[in-house]
Amino acid sequence: MENKRDYYEVLGVSKTADEAEIKKAYRKLAKKYHPDTNGGNVNAEQRFKEITEAYSILSDPEKRKLYDQFGHTAFDGSGPAPGSAGGFYGGNGQGGYQTWHFEGSDMDDIFGDIFGDLFHGQGGSGKGRGSFHSYGFNQDGSFGSQGFGGQSSNSRNYGGFGGSFHGKGQDFNAEISVSFDDAAFGCDKVIRLQDEHGGVQSLQVHIPAGIDDGKSIRLKGKGGQGFGGSPAGDLLLKVHVGTRPDFERKGMDVYSTIQIPFTTAVFGGEAVVPTLKGQVRCKIKAGIQSGSKIRLKGKGIVAMNDSSRYGDQYVTVQIQVPRYLTPEAEQKLREFEAACKSSGFTAA
């Protein structure tokens, strides 16, 4: 039998330590010697193996009872037969164990989520979004690491710890392009997505009226599959909104331009103004200047989360200058210019 240190000594606790003391000691040591924080340090790997094995025994009341009675022989095949006095440490059926690491996550989160309540089958929340790596020791004592895709649906057993890893599936990201009008009024689109296995699926997506360029739609449960019966991740669909030559959008407001005859600018009148929902007649005040803006209240984009609210439309007025004049019209215009000068005004 391999000469192993006493499990209580390994964790630095007394034989009368309660469950909370054992867990606290283990978390402190596991964080210190975890392979992810020790960059290939063989001694740290061996120490991590030792403290994790100790915790897997002492954290389980039945296994701790066997250990207190028979010592290490309870688990190396030379002690009580499997199934007697609550069985013996077998874990994943191979005498090995595994721990998990989320790439790109804070180590405090890793140990809080995974080591905190994972033992005895309670599971963890799995906050990580990237790929996973599993670290473990084989029957021959060799240490290994295995990559594990975040969207896998497999539930992983934790060897002597008992239970499986549970966590929400990975969120996926995709993009979709829609026209100016589709974003303004809403629509339904069918998109085709390729999954991690190369398969293609069609998915109908509702584009809500009023969505702006760059915003994302969250489709719950359309991401990567969850672990151990946990819910699937979400699909975050980023929307790109196209342009329209006669309108410019800024948030919920739209901007457009109209041209009015010179005489309408002088005498006032009405002008037909295109809006998103058709043409309206707009009153033009006498003497309006080129570049003036007219506000059409409520003629803009609907609020995405409140169908009772709309933005406004701002119309910039441009005055048409006639390119060709009949001799009679030119004569009248010169008379108008002369009259303005005699009154001290300019025709401009």
Side-chain angles (χ1 to χ4, degrees), residues 183-315:
F185 302 113
C187 65
D188 290 324
K189 293 284 188 181
V190 176
I191 61 175
R192 294 169 63 84
L193 299 174
Q194 183 172 335
D195 61 27
E196 65 270 23
H197 305 297
V200 177
Q201 63 170 325
S202 296
L203 182 65
Q204 182 167 312
V205 179
H206 176 68
I207 306 298
I211 193 166
D212 208 348
D213 183 66
K215 297 294 185 181
S216 294
I217 302 170
R218 180 180 292 272
L219 303 176
K220 291 188 176 297
K222 299 301 182 182
Q225 294 180 353
F227 309 102
S230 295
D234 302 332
L235 173 62
L236 301 176
L237 192 62
K238 187 175 182 180
V239 177
H240 297 287
V241 179
T243 59
R244 180 170 161 174
D246 48 346
F247 292 104
E248 179 184 3
R249 177 176 175 178
K250 294 181 180 179
M252 292 171 57
D253 297 328
V254 293
Y255 294 77
S256 64
T257 301
I258 61 167
Q259 293 189 347
I260 61 173
F262 174 77
T263 53
T264 302
V266 173
F267 300 117
E270 288 186 336
V272 175
V273 179
T275 71
L276 293 176
K277 293 186 176 181
Q279 295 182 337
V280 299
R281 287 192 171 273
C282 180
K283 185 177 181 179
I284 304 297
K285 294 181 178 180
I288 193 170
Q289 300 298 299
S290 185
S292 298
K293 284 186 171 60
I294 300 172
R295 178 191 178 195
L296 301 180
K297 189 175 181 179
K299 296 299 182 182
I301 304 289
V302 66
M304 190 171 68
N305 298 318
D306 185 355
S307 60
S308 66
R309 289 197 307 116
Y310 283 81
D312 300 327
Q313 179 173 338
Y314 294 89
V315 183

Side-chain angles (χ1 to χ4, degrees), residues 7-328:
Y7 287 146
Y8 293 100
E9 180 186 342
V10 169
L11 295 182
V13 297
S14 69
K15 292 189 176 183
T16 59
D18 60 21
E19 183 179 348
E21 291 178 283
I22 292 174
K23 178 182 286 189
K24 182 179 179 180
Y26 172 71
R27 286 167 64 90
K28 180 179 180 180
L29 293 171
K31 187 172 183 179
K32 179 179 180 180
Y33 291 103
H34 195 279
D36 287 343
T37 60
N38 286 277
N41 186 324
V42 177
N43 291 331
E45 292 179 0
Q46 184 62 34
R47 186 82 172 92
F48 183 74
K49 171 186 176 182
E50 185 180 43
I51 61 178
T52 306
E53 181 179 319
Y55 181 74
S56 70
I57 300 300
L58 299 184
S59 63
D60 186 300
E62 292 298 327
K63 293 174 184 175
R64 183 178 179 180
K65 182 178 179 181
L66 283 173
Y67 177 73
D68 288 343
Q69 185 175 359
F70 300 104
H72 293 293
T73 62
F75 312 105
D76 64 3
S78 62
S84 63
F88 64 90
Y89 168 52
N92 55 13
Q94 299 176 344
Y97 67 91
Q98 290 183 316
T99 60
W100 297 87
H101 160 59
F102 292 85
E103 287 186 350
S105 297
D106 184 82
M107 286 300 293
D108 288 333
D109 291 336
I110 295 170
F111 285 92
D113 291 342
I114 298 180
F115 294 129
D117 295 314
L118 184 61
F119 305 101
H120 312 305
Q122 293 184 24
S125 62
K127 295 181 181 178
R129 290 284 176 84
S131 60
F132 300 87
H133 287 288
S134 60
Y135 294 94
F137 289 86
N138 305 314
Q139 282 186 306
D140 60 3
S142 61
F143 183 85
S145 170
Q146 179 182 7
F148 171 38
Q151 62 273 29
S152 173
S153 61
N154 294 331
S155 178
R156 297 303 176 100
N157 190 277
Y158 279 78
F161 303 159
S164 301
F165 172 74
H166 296 267
K168 180 183 176 182
Q170 184 182 19
D171 288 347
F172 289 159
N173 294 280
E175 298 183 348
I176 186 173
S177 295
V178 299
S179 69
F180 185 100
D181 286 356
D182 284 344
F185 302 113
C187 65
D188 290 324
K189 293 284 188 181
V190 176
I191 61 175
R192 294 169 63 84
L193 299 174
Q194 183 172 335
D195 61 27
E196 65 270 23
H197 305 297
V200 177
Q201 63 170 325
S202 296
L203 182 65
Q204 182 167 312
V205 179
H206 176 68
I207 306 298
I211 193 166
D212 208 348
D213 183 66
K215 297 294 185 181
S216 294
I217 302 170
R218 180 180 292 272
L219 303 176
K220 291 188 176 297
K222 299 301 182 182
Q225 294 180 353
F227 309 102
S230 295
D234 302 332
L235 173 62
L236 301 176
L237 192 62
K238 187 175 182 180
V239 177
H240 297 287
V241 179
T243 59
R244 180 170 161 174
D246 48 346
F247 292 104
E248 179 184 3
R249 177 176 175 178
K250 294 181 180 179
M252 292 171 57
D253 297 328
V254 293
Y255 294 77
S256 64
T257 301
I258 61 167
Q259 293 189 347
I260 61 173
F262 174 77
T263 53
T264 302
V266 173
F267 300 117
E270 288 186 336
V272 175
V273 179
T275 71
L276 293 176
K277 293 186 176 181
Q279 295 182 337
V280 299
R281 287 192 171 273
C282 180
K283 185 177 181 179
I284 304 297
K285 294 181 178 180
I288 193 170
Q289 300 298 299
S290 185
S292 298
K293 284 186 171 60
I294 300 172
R295 178 191 178 195
L296 301 180
K297 189 175 181 179
K299 296 299 182 182
I301 304 289
V302 66
M304 190 171 68
N305 298 318
D306 185 355
S307 60
S308 66
R309 289 197 307 116
Y310 283 81
D312 300 327
Q313 179 173 338
Y314 294 89
V315 183
T316 300
V317 175
Q318 292 182 346
I319 300 174
Q320 294 174 324
V321 177
R323 292 178 178 273
Y324 306 102
L325 294 172
T326 65
E328 183 180 3

